[in-house]
Amino acid sequence: AAELARAVSWLGAEPLTAERVRKWAERKRIVPHGTAIHRGNEIPTYLVSDAVALLAQDARPKAG
């Protein structure tokens, strides 16, 4: 989540926090596309394109 947030923010998209990525995952809005080992723990990995798409979706004005 933290690395994805840094990558998306670095690309110039809206700033993204690791906590937001974790919430998306908790709500099943973003799904893992693999795992990585970090400090002996298996962590999910996500696609940057999925995060950018969710940011764009969340930025759209709500109808109604």
Side-chain angles (χ1 to χ4, degrees):
E3 294 215 13
L4 177 63
R6 275 192 296 274
V8 171
S9 296
W10 180 82
L11 287 171
E14 176 183 334
L16 178 61
T17 64
E19 183 57 30
R20 191 170 187 182
V21 174
R22 289 185 196 102
K23 283 291 181 190
W24 284 342
E26 181 181 305
R27 295 174 181 153
K28 307 287 190 235
R29 293 188 69 202
I30 194 169
V31 295
H33 285 272
T35 58
I37 303 298
H38 179 68
R39 296 183 183 171
N41 296 313
E42 193 171 285
I43 59 170
T45 58
Y46 304 98
L47 297 177
V48 170
S49 59
D50 288 350
V52 170
L54 280 170
L55 279 173
Q57 182 180 339
D58 288 353
R60 284 190 221 126
K62 306 290 185 236

Short mmCIF file of all heavy atoms in Angstrom, two decimals:
data_model
loop_
_atom_site.label_atom_id
_atom_site.label_comp_id
_atom_site.label_asym_id
_atom_site.label_seq_id
_atom_site.Cartn_x
_atom_site.Cartn_y
_atom_site.Cartn_z
N ALA A 1 0.83 -1.19 0.00
CA ALA A 1 0.00 0.00 0.00
C ALA A 1 0.88 1.26 0.00
O ALA A 1 0.60 2.21 -0.73
CB ALA A 1 -0.94 -0.01 1.20
N ALA A 2 1.91 1.26 0.81
CA ALA A 2 2.77 2.44 0.91
C ALA A 2 3.53 2.68 -0.40
O ALA A 2 3.63 3.82 -0.87
CB ALA A 2 3.75 2.29 2.06
N GLU A 3 4.05 1.62 -0.99
CA GLU A 3 4.80 1.79 -2.24
C GLU A 3 3.88 2.22 -3.37
O GLU A 3 4.24 3.04 -4.22
CB GLU A 3 5.54 0.50 -2.59
CG GLU A 3 6.62 0.22 -1.57
CD GLU A 3 7.83 -0.43 -2.18
OE1 GLU A 3 7.98 -0.45 -3.40
OE2 GLU A 3 8.64 -0.92 -1.39
N LEU A 4 2.68 1.67 -3.41
CA LEU A 4 1.71 2.08 -4.43
C LEU A 4 1.37 3.55 -4.27
O LEU A 4 1.33 4.29 -5.25
CB LEU A 4 0.45 1.22 -4.34
CG LEU A 4 -0.68 1.59 -5.29
CD1 LEU A 4 -0.25 1.39 -6.74
CD2 LEU A 4 -1.91 0.77 -4.99
N ALA A 5 1.13 3.98 -3.04
CA ALA A 5 0.80 5.38 -2.79
C ALA A 5 1.94 6.30 -3.25
O ALA A 5 1.69 7.32 -3.90
CB ALA A 5 0.52 5.59 -1.30
N ARG A 6 3.17 5.92 -2.95
CA ARG A 6 4.32 6.73 -3.40
C ARG A 6 4.41 6.78 -4.91
O ARG A 6 4.64 7.83 -5.50
CB ARG A 6 5.62 6.18 -2.81
CG ARG A 6 5.92 6.67 -1.42
CD ARG A 6 7.35 6.33 -0.99
NE ARG A 6 7.59 4.89 -0.90
CZ ARG A 6 7.33 4.16 0.16
NH1 ARG A 6 6.82 4.71 1.23
NH2 ARG A 6 7.58 2.87 0.18
N ALA A 7 4.23 5.64 -5.57
CA ALA A 7 4.34 5.57 -7.03
C ALA A 7 3.28 6.43 -7.70
O ALA A 7 3.58 7.20 -8.62
CB ALA A 7 4.23 4.13 -7.50
N VAL A 8 2.04 6.32 -7.24
CA VAL A 8 0.96 7.09 -7.86
C VAL A 8 1.16 8.57 -7.61
O VAL A 8 1.00 9.39 -8.52
CB VAL A 8 -0.41 6.61 -7.33
CG1 VAL A 8 -1.53 7.53 -7.77
CG2 VAL A 8 -0.68 5.19 -7.83
N SER A 9 1.54 8.95 -6.41
CA SER A 9 1.79 10.36 -6.11
C SER A 9 2.95 10.90 -6.93
O SER A 9 2.90 12.02 -7.44
CB SER A 9 2.06 10.53 -4.61
OG SER A 9 0.93 10.18 -3.86
N TRP A 10 3.99 10.10 -7.10
CA TRP A 10 5.15 10.50 -7.88
C TRP A 10 4.78 10.73 -9.35
O TRP A 10 5.33 11.61 -10.00
CB TRP A 10 6.25 9.45 -7.78
CG TRP A 10 7.48 9.78 -8.54
CD1 TRP A 10 8.50 10.60 -8.15
CD2 TRP A 10 7.84 9.32 -9.85
NE1 TRP A 10 9.47 10.67 -9.12
CE2 TRP A 10 9.08 9.89 -10.18
CE3 TRP A 10 7.22 8.48 -10.77
CZ2 TRP A 10 9.70 9.65 -11.39
CZ3 TRP A 10 7.85 8.24 -11.98
CH2 TRP A 10 9.07 8.83 -12.28
N LEU A 11 3.85 9.95 -9.86
CA LEU A 11 3.44 10.09 -11.26
C LEU A 11 2.68 11.38 -11.52
O LEU A 11 2.38 11.70 -12.66
CB LEU A 11 2.56 8.90 -11.67
CG LEU A 11 3.30 7.59 -11.85
CD1 LEU A 11 2.30 6.44 -12.03
CD2 LEU A 11 4.23 7.66 -13.04
N GLY A 12 2.37 12.12 -10.48
CA GLY A 12 1.71 13.40 -10.66
C GLY A 12 0.20 13.34 -10.53
O GLY A 12 -0.48 14.33 -10.73
N ALA A 13 -0.31 12.17 -10.23
CA ALA A 13 -1.74 12.07 -9.98
C ALA A 13 -2.03 12.72 -8.63
O ALA A 13 -1.13 13.16 -7.93
CB ALA A 13 -2.16 10.60 -9.98
N GLU A 14 -3.27 12.74 -8.27
CA GLU A 14 -3.66 13.25 -6.96
C GLU A 14 -2.86 12.51 -5.89
O GLU A 14 -2.62 11.31 -6.02
CB GLU A 14 -5.16 12.99 -6.76
CG GLU A 14 -5.68 13.38 -5.41
CD GLU A 14 -7.16 13.03 -5.25
OE1 GLU A 14 -7.87 12.93 -6.24
OE2 GLU A 14 -7.55 12.82 -4.10
N PRO A 15 -2.43 13.20 -4.84
CA PRO A 15 -1.71 12.51 -3.78
C PRO A 15 -2.54 11.35 -3.23
O PRO A 15 -3.75 11.46 -3.06
CB PRO A 15 -1.50 13.58 -2.71
CG PRO A 15 -1.58 14.87 -3.46
CD PRO A 15 -2.55 14.64 -4.58
N LEU A 16 -1.88 10.24 -2.99
CA LEU A 16 -2.55 9.03 -2.51
C LEU A 16 -1.83 8.57 -1.25
O LEU A 16 -0.60 8.54 -1.21
CB LEU A 16 -2.49 7.95 -3.59
CG LEU A 16 -3.09 6.59 -3.26
CD1 LEU A 16 -4.58 6.72 -2.96
CD2 LEU A 16 -2.85 5.62 -4.40
N THR A 17 -2.60 8.20 -0.25
CA THR A 17 -2.01 7.71 0.99
C THR A 17 -2.13 6.19 1.07
O THR A 17 -3.03 5.59 0.46
CB THR A 17 -2.71 8.31 2.23
OG1 THR A 17 -4.07 7.86 2.24
CG2 THR A 17 -2.65 9.83 2.22
N ALA A 18 -1.24 5.59 1.82
CA ALA A 18 -1.29 4.15 2.03
C ALA A 18 -2.58 3.77 2.74
O ALA A 18 -3.17 2.72 2.45
CB ALA A 18 -0.08 3.69 2.84
N GLU A 19 -3.05 4.60 3.63
CA GLU A 19 -4.29 4.31 4.35
C GLU A 19 -5.48 4.24 3.38
O GLU A 19 -6.35 3.39 3.53
CB GLU A 19 -4.56 5.37 5.43
CG GLU A 19 -5.78 5.10 6.26
CD GLU A 19 -5.78 3.74 6.97
OE1 GLU A 19 -4.70 3.23 7.30
OE2 GLU A 19 -6.87 3.19 7.15
N ARG A 20 -5.49 5.11 2.39
CA ARG A 20 -6.57 5.07 1.39
C ARG A 20 -6.53 3.77 0.59
O ARG A 20 -7.56 3.16 0.33
CB ARG A 20 -6.46 6.28 0.46
CG ARG A 20 -7.66 6.48 -0.43
CD ARG A 20 -7.58 7.82 -1.12
NE ARG A 20 -8.77 8.12 -1.86
CZ ARG A 20 -8.94 9.20 -2.57
NH1 ARG A 20 -7.97 10.11 -2.63
NH2 ARG A 20 -10.05 9.41 -3.23
N VAL A 21 -5.34 3.34 0.23
CA VAL A 21 -5.19 2.06 -0.48
C VAL A 21 -5.70 0.93 0.40
O VAL A 21 -6.43 0.04 -0.08
CB VAL A 21 -3.72 1.82 -0.90
CG1 VAL A 21 -3.56 0.44 -1.50
CG2 VAL A 21 -3.25 2.90 -1.87
N ARG A 22 -5.35 0.95 1.66
CA ARG A 22 -5.81 -0.10 2.58
C ARG A 22 -7.34 -0.11 2.71
O ARG A 22 -7.96 -1.17 2.77
CB ARG A 22 -5.16 0.07 3.95
CG ARG A 22 -3.69 -0.27 3.96
CD ARG A 22 -3.09 -0.20 5.37
NE ARG A 22 -1.65 -0.15 5.26
CZ ARG A 22 -0.91 0.95 5.40
NH1 ARG A 22 -1.47 2.10 5.71
NH2 ARG A 22 0.40 0.90 5.27
N LYS A 23 -7.94 1.07 2.74
CA LYS A 23 -9.41 1.15 2.81
C LYS A 23 -10.03 0.60 1.53
O LYS A 23 -11.05 -0.10 1.58
CB LYS A 23 -9.87 2.59 3.03
CG LYS A 23 -9.71 3.05 4.44
CD LYS A 23 -10.68 2.32 5.35
CE LYS A 23 -10.55 2.79 6.76
NZ LYS A 23 -11.29 1.94 7.69
N TRP A 24 -9.45 0.94 0.38
CA TRP A 24 -9.96 0.40 -0.89
C TRP A 24 -9.91 -1.12 -0.84
O TRP A 24 -10.84 -1.79 -1.25
CB TRP A 24 -9.13 0.89 -2.05
CG TRP A 24 -9.37 2.30 -2.48
CD1 TRP A 24 -10.44 3.10 -2.20
CD2 TRP A 24 -8.51 3.09 -3.31
NE1 TRP A 24 -10.29 4.34 -2.79
CE2 TRP A 24 -9.12 4.35 -3.48
CE3 TRP A 24 -7.28 2.85 -3.92
CZ2 TRP A 24 -8.55 5.36 -4.25
CZ3 TRP A 24 -6.72 3.86 -4.68
CH2 TRP A 24 -7.34 5.10 -4.84
N ALA A 25 -8.81 -1.67 -0.35
CA ALA A 25 -8.65 -3.12 -0.28
C ALA A 25 -9.67 -3.72 0.70
O ALA A 25 -10.29 -4.74 0.40
CB ALA A 25 -7.23 -3.49 0.14
N GLU A 26 -9.84 -3.07 1.83
CA GLU A 26 -10.80 -3.54 2.83
C GLU A 26 -12.22 -3.57 2.25
O GLU A 26 -12.99 -4.48 2.53
CB GLU A 26 -10.75 -2.58 4.02
CG GLU A 26 -11.64 -2.91 5.17
CD GLU A 26 -11.50 -1.86 6.27
OE1 GLU A 26 -10.36 -1.63 6.74
OE2 GLU A 26 -12.53 -1.27 6.65
N ARG A 27 -12.53 -2.58 1.40
CA ARG A 27 -13.86 -2.48 0.79
C ARG A 27 -13.95 -3.22 -0.54
O ARG A 27 -14.95 -3.11 -1.24
CB ARG A 27 -14.20 -1.01 0.60
CG ARG A 27 -14.35 -0.28 1.90
CD ARG A 27 -14.55 1.20 1.71
NE ARG A 27 -14.66 1.85 3.01
CZ ARG A 27 -14.34 3.11 3.24
NH1 ARG A 27 -13.90 3.87 2.25
NH2 ARG A 27 -14.46 3.61 4.43
N LYS A 28 -12.88 -3.92 -0.89
CA LYS A 28 -12.82 -4.72 -2.13
C LYS A 28 -12.93 -3.87 -3.40
O LYS A 28 -13.39 -4.33 -4.43
CB LYS A 28 -13.91 -5.80 -2.15
CG LYS A 28 -13.95 -6.69 -0.94
CD LYS A 28 -12.82 -7.66 -0.94
CE LYS A 28 -13.03 -8.70 0.16
NZ LYS A 28 -11.97 -8.80 1.07
N ARG A 29 -12.48 -2.61 -3.31
CA ARG A 29 -12.49 -1.73 -4.49
C ARG A 29 -11.23 -1.94 -5.32
O ARG A 29 -11.20 -1.62 -6.49
CB ARG A 29 -12.59 -0.27 -4.07
CG ARG A 29 -13.95 0.05 -3.43
CD ARG A 29 -14.13 1.52 -3.20
NE ARG A 29 -14.27 2.19 -4.47
CZ ARG A 29 -14.02 3.49 -4.65
NH1 ARG A 29 -13.63 4.24 -3.64
NH2 ARG A 29 -14.16 4.05 -5.84
N ILE A 30 -10.16 -2.43 -4.68
CA ILE A 30 -8.92 -2.74 -5.37
C ILE A 30 -8.53 -4.16 -4.95
O ILE A 30 -8.71 -4.53 -3.79
CB ILE A 30 -7.81 -1.71 -5.05
CG1 ILE A 30 -6.64 -1.82 -6.01
CG2 ILE A 30 -7.37 -1.79 -3.60
CD1 ILE A 30 -5.64 -0.66 -5.90
N VAL A 31 -8.09 -4.94 -5.91
CA VAL A 31 -7.76 -6.34 -5.61
C VAL A 31 -6.27 -6.57 -5.83
O VAL A 31 -5.67 -5.99 -6.72
CB VAL A 31 -8.60 -7.32 -6.46
CG1 VAL A 31 -10.07 -7.21 -6.12
CG2 VAL A 31 -8.38 -7.08 -7.94
N PRO A 32 -5.68 -7.44 -5.02
CA PRO A 32 -4.26 -7.75 -5.19
C PRO A 32 -4.02 -8.51 -6.50
O PRO A 32 -4.88 -9.27 -6.95
CB PRO A 32 -3.91 -8.63 -4.00
CG PRO A 32 -5.11 -8.72 -3.15
CD PRO A 32 -6.26 -8.12 -3.88
N HIS A 33 -2.87 -8.27 -7.08
CA HIS A 33 -2.45 -8.98 -8.29
C HIS A 33 -1.15 -9.72 -8.03
O HIS A 33 -0.26 -9.75 -8.87
CB HIS A 33 -2.29 -8.00 -9.47
CG HIS A 33 -3.60 -7.56 -10.02
ND1 HIS A 33 -4.27 -8.25 -10.99
CD2 HIS A 33 -4.38 -6.50 -9.71
CE1 HIS A 33 -5.40 -7.64 -11.27
NE2 HIS A 33 -5.49 -6.58 -10.50
N GLY A 34 -1.03 -10.26 -6.85
CA GLY A 34 0.16 -10.99 -6.46
C GLY A 34 0.54 -10.64 -5.04
O GLY A 34 -0.18 -9.94 -4.34
N THR A 35 1.69 -11.16 -4.64
CA THR A 35 2.20 -10.87 -3.30
C THR A 35 3.71 -10.65 -3.38
O THR A 35 4.36 -11.02 -4.36
CB THR A 35 1.94 -12.03 -2.32
OG1 THR A 35 2.53 -13.21 -2.83
CG2 THR A 35 0.46 -12.25 -2.09
N ALA A 36 4.22 -10.01 -2.35
CA ALA A 36 5.65 -9.80 -2.22
C ALA A 36 6.02 -10.11 -0.77
O ALA A 36 5.16 -10.11 0.12
CB ALA A 36 6.02 -8.36 -2.56
N ILE A 37 7.29 -10.37 -0.54
CA ILE A 37 7.78 -10.61 0.82
C ILE A 37 8.49 -9.35 1.29
O ILE A 37 9.39 -8.84 0.62
CB ILE A 37 8.74 -11.82 0.86
CG1 ILE A 37 8.07 -13.07 0.31
CG2 ILE A 37 9.26 -12.03 2.29
CD1 ILE A 37 6.87 -13.54 1.08
N HIS A 38 8.06 -8.83 2.43
CA HIS A 38 8.67 -7.64 3.01
C HIS A 38 8.93 -7.93 4.48
O HIS A 38 7.99 -8.17 5.24
CB HIS A 38 7.75 -6.43 2.84
CG HIS A 38 8.30 -5.18 3.43
ND1 HIS A 38 9.41 -4.54 2.92
CD2 HIS A 38 7.92 -4.45 4.50
CE1 HIS A 38 9.67 -3.47 3.64
NE2 HIS A 38 8.77 -3.39 4.61
N ARG A 39 10.20 -7.93 4.85
CA ARG A 39 10.60 -8.21 6.24
C ARG A 39 10.02 -9.53 6.74
O ARG A 39 9.55 -9.64 7.86
CB ARG A 39 10.20 -7.06 7.15
CG ARG A 39 10.90 -5.78 6.82
CD ARG A 39 10.52 -4.70 7.78
NE ARG A 39 11.16 -3.47 7.36
CZ ARG A 39 10.91 -2.29 7.88
NH1 ARG A 39 10.05 -2.18 8.86
NH2 ARG A 39 11.54 -1.22 7.44
N GLY A 40 9.99 -10.50 5.86
CA GLY A 40 9.53 -11.83 6.24
C GLY A 40 8.02 -12.01 6.20
O GLY A 40 7.52 -13.09 6.47
N ASN A 41 7.29 -10.96 5.85
CA ASN A 41 5.83 -11.04 5.78
C ASN A 41 5.38 -10.97 4.33
O ASN A 41 5.92 -10.21 3.53
CB ASN A 41 5.18 -9.89 6.55
CG ASN A 41 5.48 -9.95 8.02
OD1 ASN A 41 5.37 -11.00 8.63
ND2 ASN A 41 5.87 -8.82 8.59
N GLU A 42 4.35 -11.73 4.01
CA GLU A 42 3.77 -11.69 2.68
C GLU A 42 2.77 -10.53 2.63
O GLU A 42 1.89 -10.41 3.48
CB GLU A 42 3.05 -13.01 2.40
CG GLU A 42 2.69 -13.19 0.96
CD GLU A 42 2.18 -14.59 0.69
OE1 GLU A 42 3.00 -15.52 0.65
OE2 GLU A 42 0.96 -14.72 0.52
N ILE A 43 2.94 -9.64 1.65
CA ILE A 43 2.04 -8.50 1.50
C ILE A 43 1.44 -8.49 0.10
O ILE A 43 2.06 -8.95 -0.85
CB ILE A 43 2.78 -7.16 1.78
CG1 ILE A 43 3.96 -6.99 0.83
CG2 ILE A 43 3.22 -7.06 3.22
CD1 ILE A 43 4.59 -5.62 0.86
N PRO A 44 0.22 -7.96 -0.04
CA PRO A 44 -0.40 -7.92 -1.36
C PRO A 44 0.25 -6.86 -2.23
O PRO A 44 0.76 -5.85 -1.73
CB PRO A 44 -1.85 -7.57 -1.05
CG PRO A 44 -1.81 -6.86 0.26
CD PRO A 44 -0.64 -7.45 1.01
N THR A 45 0.23 -7.09 -3.54
CA THR A 45 0.70 -6.08 -4.49
C THR A 45 -0.48 -5.69 -5.38
O THR A 45 -1.35 -6.50 -5.67
CB THR A 45 1.86 -6.60 -5.35
OG1 THR A 45 1.44 -7.78 -6.04
CG2 THR A 45 3.08 -6.91 -4.51
N TYR A 46 -0.51 -4.43 -5.77
CA TYR A 46 -1.61 -3.87 -6.54
C TYR A 46 -1.08 -3.22 -7.81
O TYR A 46 0.10 -2.86 -7.88
CB TYR A 46 -2.37 -2.82 -5.73
CG TYR A 46 -2.88 -3.34 -4.41
CD1 TYR A 46 -2.18 -3.11 -3.23
CD2 TYR A 46 -4.05 -4.08 -4.34
CE1 TYR A 46 -2.63 -3.60 -2.02
CE2 TYR A 46 -4.52 -4.58 -3.13
CZ TYR A 46 -3.81 -4.33 -1.97
OH TYR A 46 -4.26 -4.83 -0.78
N LEU A 47 -1.95 -3.05 -8.79
CA LEU A 47 -1.56 -2.40 -10.03
C LEU A 47 -1.71 -0.88 -9.90
O LEU A 47 -2.73 -0.39 -9.39
CB LEU A 47 -2.44 -2.88 -11.18
CG LEU A 47 -2.35 -4.36 -11.54
CD1 LEU A 47 -3.33 -4.68 -12.66
CD2 LEU A 47 -0.94 -4.72 -11.95
N VAL A 48 -0.70 -0.15 -10.38
CA VAL A 48 -0.76 1.31 -10.37
C VAL A 48 -1.96 1.77 -11.18
O VAL A 48 -2.68 2.69 -10.78
CB VAL A 48 0.56 1.90 -10.92
CG1 VAL A 48 0.43 3.40 -11.15
CG2 VAL A 48 1.72 1.60 -9.97
N SER A 49 -2.22 1.12 -12.30
CA SER A 49 -3.35 1.53 -13.16
C SER A 49 -4.69 1.41 -12.42
O SER A 49 -5.58 2.24 -12.62
CB SER A 49 -3.38 0.72 -14.45
OG SER A 49 -3.49 -0.66 -14.17
N ASP A 50 -4.84 0.41 -11.56
CA ASP A 50 -6.07 0.28 -10.77
C ASP A 50 -6.22 1.46 -9.81
O ASP A 50 -7.31 2.01 -9.65
CB ASP A 50 -6.07 -1.02 -9.97
CG ASP A 50 -6.27 -2.25 -10.82
OD1 ASP A 50 -6.60 -2.13 -12.03
OD2 ASP A 50 -6.09 -3.37 -10.28
N ALA A 51 -5.13 1.85 -9.18
CA ALA A 51 -5.17 2.97 -8.23
C ALA A 51 -5.47 4.28 -8.95
O ALA A 51 -6.28 5.09 -8.47
CB ALA A 51 -3.86 3.08 -7.47
N VAL A 52 -4.86 4.51 -10.10
CA VAL A 52 -5.11 5.73 -10.86
C VAL A 52 -6.58 5.78 -11.30
O VAL A 52 -7.22 6.83 -11.21
CB VAL A 52 -4.15 5.83 -12.07
CG1 VAL A 52 -4.54 6.96 -12.99
CG2 VAL A 52 -2.71 6.00 -11.58
N ALA A 53 -7.11 4.65 -11.73
CA ALA A 53 -8.52 4.60 -12.15
C ALA A 53 -9.46 4.90 -10.98
O ALA A 53 -10.44 5.63 -11.14
CB ALA A 53 -8.84 3.24 -12.75
N LEU A 54 -9.15 4.36 -9.80
CA LEU A 54 -9.98 4.65 -8.63
C LEU A 54 -9.90 6.11 -8.22
O LEU A 54 -10.91 6.71 -7.84
CB LEU A 54 -9.58 3.75 -7.46
CG LEU A 54 -10.14 2.34 -7.52
CD1 LEU A 54 -9.48 1.45 -6.45
CD2 LEU A 54 -11.64 2.33 -7.36
N LEU A 55 -8.72 6.70 -8.30
CA LEU A 55 -8.60 8.13 -8.00
C LEU A 55 -9.45 8.96 -8.94
O LEU A 55 -10.14 9.89 -8.52
CB LEU A 55 -7.13 8.57 -8.09
CG LEU A 55 -6.25 8.28 -6.89
CD1 LEU A 55 -4.81 8.63 -7.21
CD2 LEU A 55 -6.73 9.05 -5.68
N ALA A 56 -9.40 8.62 -10.23
CA ALA A 56 -10.20 9.34 -11.22
C ALA A 56 -11.69 9.16 -10.94
O ALA A 56 -12.47 10.12 -11.01
CB ALA A 56 -9.86 8.87 -12.62
N GLN A 57 -12.08 7.96 -10.61
CA GLN A 57 -13.48 7.67 -10.30
C GLN A 57 -13.94 8.45 -9.08
O GLN A 57 -15.02 9.03 -9.07
CB GLN A 57 -13.65 6.18 -10.06
CG GLN A 57 -15.04 5.72 -9.78
CD GLN A 57 -15.11 4.22 -9.55
OE1 GLN A 57 -14.23 3.48 -9.95
NE2 GLN A 57 -16.14 3.78 -8.88
N ASP A 58 -13.12 8.51 -8.05
CA ASP A 58 -13.47 9.21 -6.83
C ASP A 58 -13.49 10.73 -7.03
O ASP A 58 -14.17 11.44 -6.30
CB ASP A 58 -12.50 8.88 -5.69
CG ASP A 58 -12.70 7.45 -5.17
OD1 ASP A 58 -13.66 6.78 -5.58
OD2 ASP A 58 -11.88 7.03 -4.34
N ALA A 59 -12.75 11.22 -8.02
CA ALA A 59 -12.69 12.67 -8.28
C ALA A 59 -13.88 13.17 -9.06
O ALA A 59 -14.16 14.38 -9.05
CB ALA A 59 -11.39 12.99 -9.03
N ARG A 60 -14.59 12.28 -9.74
CA ARG A 60 -15.77 12.69 -10.51
C ARG A 60 -16.85 13.21 -9.58
O ARG A 60 -17.09 12.63 -8.52
CB ARG A 60 -16.32 11.51 -11.32
CG ARG A 60 -15.52 11.21 -12.52
CD ARG A 60 -16.24 10.21 -13.41
NE ARG A 60 -15.21 9.29 -13.89
CZ ARG A 60 -15.23 7.98 -13.79
NH1 ARG A 60 -16.26 7.36 -13.27
NH2 ARG A 60 -14.25 7.24 -14.23
N PRO A 61 -17.54 14.28 -10.02
CA PRO A 61 -18.66 14.78 -9.20
C PRO A 61 -19.75 13.72 -9.08
O PRO A 61 -20.03 12.98 -10.02
CB PRO A 61 -19.18 15.98 -9.99
CG PRO A 61 -18.12 16.29 -10.99
CD PRO A 61 -17.32 15.06 -11.20
N LYS A 62 -20.35 13.65 -7.92
CA LYS A 62 -21.42 12.69 -7.67
C LYS A 62 -22.72 13.23 -8.28
O LYS A 62 -23.03 14.40 -8.16
CB LYS A 62 -21.61 12.47 -6.17
CG LYS A 62 -20.37 12.07 -5.43
CD LYS A 62 -19.93 10.65 -5.79
CE LYS A 62 -18.75 10.24 -4.94
NZ LYS A 62 -17.61 9.83 -5.65
N ALA A 63 -23.45 12.36 -8.94
CA ALA A 63 -24.74 12.74 -9.53
C ALA A 63 -25.79 12.88 -8.41
O ALA A 63 -25.80 12.10 -7.47
CB ALA A 63 -25.19 11.70 -10.54
N GLY A 64 -26.67 13.84 -8.57
CA GLY A 64 -27.79 13.97 -7.65
C GLY A 64 -27.50 14.95 -6.60
O GLY A 64 -27.98 15.29 -5.68
#
